[in-house]
Amino acid sequence: MIRYNKEQQLFHLSTPKTSYCFAAADGRWLGHLYYGPRLADTAGMEQAFCLNEFPFSPAVNEPDKVRFTQIFPYEYGCFGTGDYREACFDAANALGMRGVDLTFRSFEVVPGKVAPEHLPHTRGCEACCDTLDVLMTDDVLGLDVHLLYTVYSDLDVIVKSVKVVNRGEAPVTLGRVLSGQLNLELEACEVLTLHGSWGRERTITRQELKTGSVAAESLRGVSSAEDSPFLAILAPGTTQTMGEAWGMSLIYSGNFLAKAQIDQNGRLRCVMGIHPETFSWKLTPGESFQSPEVALVYSGEGLGQMTRTYHDLYRNHLIEKRWLTMDRPVLVNNWEATEMHFDADVLIGFARAAKEAGLDMLVMDDGWFGHRDDDTSSLGDWFVDERKLRGGLKKLVDEVNAMGLKFGIWIEPEMVNEDSELFRAHPDWRFEIPGRKPGAMRKQYVLDLTRPEVWEGVYSQLRATLSSANIAYVKWDMNRHLSDVGSLLRDADGQGELLHRYVLAVYRMQEQLLKDFPDLLLENCSSGGARFDAGMLFYSPQIWTSDDSDAIERLSIQEGTSLVFPLSTMGAHVSVCPNQQTGRSVPFNTRAKVAMAGTFGYEMDVRNMLPEEKAQIPGQVEQFRRVHPVVREGDYYRIASFRENHTHDCWMVVKKDRSLAFMTFVQVLATTNRPGMRVRMQGLDPEAAYEVTCDYAGALATSNGQSSTDEATGTLRKLGRFNGDTLMKHGIIVPRVRGDYQALLYEVKKV
Ligand code: DGJ
């Protein structure tokens, strides 16, 4: 709900459990007042601006205006006129002089969603949200700045973005247009970010912030594996179930800045948006610029509730609707098994084995095009390598389809190798700075998709490939970061726009792909999970989470990723052991249980498996099909974290109506001479009775010191009937099992 109090000139945005308030101080300066638990009333709140105290008396204290400017809690901070904190907005006049002073002018409430054009965004109908459009102006620069707030009525979410219009007569150069700001007054806090690297993506990192600033950022051209466009502020002591958490999640896939800063008065300001370091945008009279959106969530019930709110937002209002209730295919992908060394016979062998095991789809990964035998060649040549796929793509796909399997394909459209027909024909199509040979990464270069002829040249090849056969799924990969970003067709002003225009060009290509092939399931990927962000989720309902498929490493990667992103978006596969990345061997059952927390599949040579593992696949697939609807649509509860306790990991998914839940427990390290562990469930109906069953799946139970060897793979053991209240308060005892890396799956069913 959006309310405006005329006397106070105060905006009160409220969601079911939260309030967000800001007001126009002295009718001019838009200042932030509050973001936290829902307020019944806002009377008197604006006294927090202290306008009657020196130096807070701007009307009579013009000679000391900058003293005021440097401490006023601006709703949207601007650079250059006396606010020395991290700014959201910066612009220069035609002479290059920087400085912005925004004045509040008017506002409008629009029922439903005002969606930004050409950018991924949250969706919403008139029944579920309203949008507030607050107009600020800088009359010297001739700029209108619209602060847009979408307020959801069924979720504790406020989505912000900013639109800038040049209403003047001279060009203005925008130096930064961040998407939004969060202002808080906390005596102490922690900043949570999702930090990492290739193979170690999105590891939860918490650090105390007392003075100065903490940032997460990317200058790599993609949102990156190193930092994720997300930041949360936590009140001291916040846990999964208790305490306050404020989250900011950017719906964008390129360079970003997320920064939390404490000012000289101990006030916290967080900003988030396109990274200003690699951004400038020339706005000529009449033109406008739209920032990406940032989704703000407040939870007074710990991190767990913040997570569940983001999951609901992104499942219900970002990812294309049909995927919420549609089963995802269980696939086999040949990458880890064959890399680029395969041909049609190999793939047919994979398909046969996959069909026998009850899988749904074969995905042909990197290596099917041009003459690609290794990573030195062929990116850019999106036509079939007839040496490998004799008779072409259609022949192969038809054969696979005839077995009753779907077919998926890998592409990397943003890239080119020097050894390719595309490069030989168009050596000037890649990003480069004249006079300097651009740096290669994985022997490949980035195409300048901001140029229409390059975009069209690449897209027409994609369209032709996908039209040539019955392709149900595309894995869109992107295996390097951007460097040497220069575009031969742009003048000096235009170079600062390149990195954002590049992201827009990628979005446009994915949008076009989905328009031309509306039934396609798109899975994004970037050297593992280097572009796992809410921007890409607008186009693809799932993203490959990491090239590290070791089930134990995946525990923390999936824990960090699922802190913000729904489980149903995490590409997760069972792979061979010893694991390709870590050399670790983990039971087949555990690999499957961990992969079931995401979209499920196999990334191994299904033709040549150990018979005892092969025999387990049908049971795993059958189990995934039971668990998946709850993973996909239910509520997620993080019960224990191996990253924190160094012994075990545990999570739960609960159907929205609380009639069915699954709890996965992974005993990472075995211990001896200890009783079973008490685990308290979450999210159940306290008044209902539940039947609890456990799949020990080969784990040897040693509870009470009694070793038992009678458990067969997938053995289900009825543990009995419990009250929901008991399961949550008293818990159940998870037995100690023999051996490291063991996984148990509990089914909790209302009776
Ligand atoms: C990186 C991806 O993350 C892998 O899954 C695989 O598709 C390779 N690229 C192929 O080059």
Side-chain angles (χ1 to χ4, degrees):
M1 187 192 289
I2 298 171
R3 279 168 285 181
Y4 178 68
N5 183 312
K6 206 170 169 189
E7 238 163 71
Q8 297 174 288
Q9 294 197 302
L10 185 148
F11 296 93
H12 181 188
L13 319 184
S14 54
T15 65
K17 288 188 185 161
T18 72
S19 284
Y20 183 106
C21 304
F22 58 99
D26 208 29
R28 286 184 274 173
W29 292 283
L30 212 56
H32 184 82
L33 286 166
Y34 179 82
Y35 187 26
R38 186 169 166 138
L39 301 172
D41 189 62
T42 60
M45 280 186 93
E46 70 285 9
Q47 46 81 30
F49 290 147
C50 304
L51 291 179
N52 51 358
E53 287 175 27
F54 180 84
F56 310 93
S57 43
V60 293
N61 206 16
E62 195 63 28
D64 270 315
K65 180 170 164 238
V66 169
R67 286 182 195 250
F68 165 77
T69 309
Q70 66 172 328
I71 53 171
F72 184 70
Y74 286 101
E75 175 66 10
Y76 191 65
C78 297
F79 177 82
T81 50
D83 181 354
Y84 303 105
R85 294 157 290 185
E86 191 72 34
C88 273
F89 191 59
D90 176 18
N93 65 15
L95 296 172
M97 297 161 176
R98 294 164 60 191
V100 185
D101 193 359
L102 293 178
T103 302
F104 169 64
R105 294 290 173 205
S106 62
F107 72 94
E108 189 189 353
V109 177
V110 185
K113 173 82 195 174
V114 178
E117 278 173 30
H118 314 303
L119 277 167
H121 55 82
T122 59
R123 310 169 207 250
C125 58
E126 290 189 11
C128 67
C129 63
D130 290 315
T131 303
L132 170 67
D133 178 347
V134 178
L135 174 65
M136 317 267 290
T137 64
D138 182 316
D139 294 337
V140 174
L141 287 168
L143 289 183
D144 281 1
V145 176
H146 297 264
L147 304 184
L148 298 157
Y149 302 79
T150 296
V151 183
Y152 284 87
S153 55
D154 59 341
L155 278 178
D156 292 314
V157 179
I158 293 173
V159 175
K160 293 186 179 185
S161 74
V162 176
K163 184 177 179 179
V164 186
V165 186
N166 185 347
R167 293 257 178 261
E169 280 159 19
V172 172
T173 302
L174 306 175
R176 57 168 78 196
V177 189
L178 302 199
S179 301
Q181 196 170 303
L182 169 70
N183 300 281
L184 294 171
E185 285 194 43
L186 289 172
E187 269 164 30
C189 73
E190 277 182 85
V191 183
L192 185 157
T193 52
L194 299 173
H195 192 67
S197 183
W198 175 85
R200 289 185 276 114
E201 294 90 339
R202 289 169 296 286
T203 307
I204 294 176
T205 310
R206 289 170 71 150
Q207 47 195 309
E208 213 181 319
L209 181 61
K210 283 187 172 159
T211 55
S213 45
V214 169
E217 61 194 313
S218 170
L219 292 169
R220 295 166 187 268
V222 291
S223 47
S224 93
E226 285 70 17
D227 272 316
S228 179
F230 173 78
L231 178 149
I233 300 296
L234 312 180
T238 295
T239 65
Q240 278 294 323
T241 50
M242 280 161 46
E244 296 188 284
W246 292 262
M248 294 178 89
S249 169
L250 189 68
I251 304 176
Y252 189 59
S253 313
N255 288 350
F256 72 89
L257 174 67
K259 193 164 183 176
Q261 184 186 52
I262 301 234
D263 74 8
Q264 76 262 41
N265 292 323
R267 288 173 176 162
L268 179 70
R269 175 187 279 191
C270 302
V271 299
M272 190 174 275
I274 297 178
H275 206 304
E277 176 77 24
T278 50
F279 172 86
S280 73
W281 198 275
K282 191 169 175 184
L283 215 55
T284 52
E287 281 185 341
S288 63
F289 178 84
Q290 168 70 52
S291 83
E293 294 188 328
V294 59
L296 268 60
V297 168
Y298 167 77
S299 159
E301 295 153 70
L303 276 168
Q305 187 51 47
M306 179 198 78
T307 292
R308 287 185 288 281
T309 305
Y310 275 117
H311 287 192
D312 283 338
L313 175 73
Y314 288 155
R315 288 186 300 205
N316 298 335
H317 300 292
L318 179 78
I319 295 165
E320 213 194 309
K321 208 149 194 103
R322 69 188 155 126
W323 296 115
L324 179 60
T325 50
M326 202 190 281
D327 285 341
R328 307 285 169 84
V330 180
L331 60 86
V332 58
N333 177 306
N334 70 305
W335 175 249
E336 282 198 24
T338 67
E339 298 207 339
M340 297 175 202
H341 313 296
F342 61 86
D343 59 18
D345 293 340
V346 169
L347 293 175
I348 291 296
F350 266 74
R352 249 185 227 120
K355 183 66 199 167
E356 259 172 45
L359 313 191
D360 304 316
M361 183 162 76
L362 169 70
V363 176
M364 172 176 72
D365 212 282
D366 190 357
W368 58 269
F369 50 92
H371 60 277
R372 187 158 165 98
D373 295 323
D374 56 37
D375 59 12
T376 58
S377 87
S378 303
L379 291 173
D381 295 346
W382 301 110
F383 47 82
V384 158
D385 182 351
E386 286 274 347
R387 294 172 311 156
K388 292 184 181 175
L389 308 186
R390 284 175 318 278
L393 193 57
K394 183 164 169 30
K395 180 166 179 289
L396 171 66
V397 177
D398 286 350
E399 226 172 299
V400 171
N401 285 169
M403 289 181 208
L405 282 186
K406 293 179 175 176
F407 189 89
I409 199 170
W410 177 98
I411 51 168
E412 193 175 2
E414 298 160 67
M415 299 294 156
V416 68
N417 286 117
E418 284 188 338
D419 179 6
S420 67
E421 289 189 18
L422 185 86
F423 186 77
R424 281 184 281 276
H426 303 287
D428 62 333
W429 275 17
R430 65 181 167 188
F431 278 132
E432 68 177 277
I433 296 169
R436 178 176 301 140
K437 181 163 165 58
M441 194 170 169
R442 209 196 189 201
K443 293 142 199 127
Q444 63 195 55
Y445 301 89
V446 185
L447 288 166
D448 181 359
L449 293 180
T450 69
R451 286 167 58 177
E453 71 282 20
V454 181
W455 191 100
E456 201 40 63
V458 172
Y459 187 67
S460 57
Q461 286 198 59
L462 290 194
R463 188 170 29 218
T465 303
L466 293 195
S467 308
S468 72
N470 183 26
I471 292 168
Y473 160 107
V474 163
K475 177 177 174 188
W476 177 307
D477 206 347
M478 197 289 190
N479 281 301
R480 66 159 291 175
H481 302 144
L482 275 61
S483 70
D484 307 276
V485 181
S487 182
L488 298 177
L489 290 192
R490 284 177 200 284
D491 60 13
D493 285 337
Q495 302 298 338
E497 300 176 3
L498 261 189
L499 279 154
H500 180 54
R501 286 196 188 277
Y502 178 79
V503 177
L504 295 179
V506 171
Y507 287 154
R508 190 158 72 84
M509 199 175 282
Q510 299 211 346
E511 190 182 319
Q512 191 61 48
L513 192 69
L514 293 168
K515 254 189 213 151
D516 291 344
F517 303 95
D519 296 329
L520 196 68
L521 169 57
L522 185 62
E523 174 156 349
N524 269 291
C525 170
S526 177
S527 224
R531 203 161 57 181
F532 200 124
D533 57 61
M536 299 320 280
L537 285 181
F538 186 74
Y539 306 96
S540 65
Q542 56 197 59
I543 301 178
W544 183 229
T545 314
S546 175
D547 275 346
D548 186 348
S549 57
D550 176 309
I552 302 307
E553 297 269 295
R554 275 291 184 122
L555 295 176
S556 77
I557 296 170
Q558 294 183 184
E559 180 198 10
T561 306
S562 62
L563 186 84
V564 187
F565 303 108
L567 301 183
S568 63
T569 65
M570 296 193 297
H573 298 164
V574 178
S575 65
V576 78
C577 276
N579 182 267
Q580 218 180 47
Q581 307 304 344
T582 61
R584 184 182 281 126
S585 290
V586 172
F588 196 59
N589 162 61
T590 302
R591 285 178 259 161
K593 295 283 190 290
V594 173
M596 277 180 212
T599 68
F600 189 67
Y602 294 82
E603 182 109 7
M604 59 200 305
D605 192 342
V606 282
R607 300 166 308 166
N608 301 306
M609 294 181 65
L610 295 172
E612 60 273 25
E613 292 187 352
K614 195 170 189 167
Q616 291 182 50
I617 295 187
Q620 293 179 347
V621 173
E622 194 266 327
Q623 189 165 69
F624 168 74
R625 295 199 203 281
R626 269 190 304 124
V627 172
H628 182 63
V630 188
V631 164
R632 193 180 61 213
E633 295 165 44
D635 287 329
Y636 163 74
Y637 294 87
R638 169 58 51 178
I639 312 272
S641 159
F642 170 59
R643 184 186 47 81
E644 287 172 355
N645 62 38
H646 311 300
T647 58
H648 64 284
D649 213 58
C650 184
W651 66 91
M652 248 183 114
V653 287
V654 183
K655 209 172 160 186
K656 285 278 180 195
D657 67 6
R658 299 190 286 180
S659 64
L660 180 63
F662 294 95
M663 183 178 91
T664 311
F665 183 95
V666 180
Q667 174 184 286
V668 182
L669 294 178
T671 52
T672 188
N673 194 25
R674 278 178 192 262
M677 182 180 294
R678 184 187 301 273
V679 174
R680 293 182 180 87
M681 297 189 178
Q682 294 179 37
L684 302 173
D685 177 351
E687 297 192 343
Y690 290 91
E691 192 78 50
V692 181
T693 322
C694 179
D695 171 9
Y696 285 83
L700 307 181
T702 60
S703 62
N704 307 324
Q706 295 280 302
S707 174
S708 131
T709 51
D710 63 353
E711 305 291 351
T713 297
T715 298
L716 291 180
R717 232 195 220 180
K718 279 202 165 133
L719 299 186
R721 190 172 284 205
F722 300 81
N723 199 277
D725 198 38
T726 314
L727 288 171
M728 293 193 289
K729 290 182 179 152
H730 181 251
I732 53 155
I733 302 297
V734 173
R736 296 282 170 188
V737 288
R738 268 186 88 71
D740 295 339
Y741 316 138
Q742 302 293 335
L744 312 177
L745 180 78
Y746 290 82
E747 181 171 313
V748 185
K749 202 172 177 180
K750 205 173 195 172
V751 283

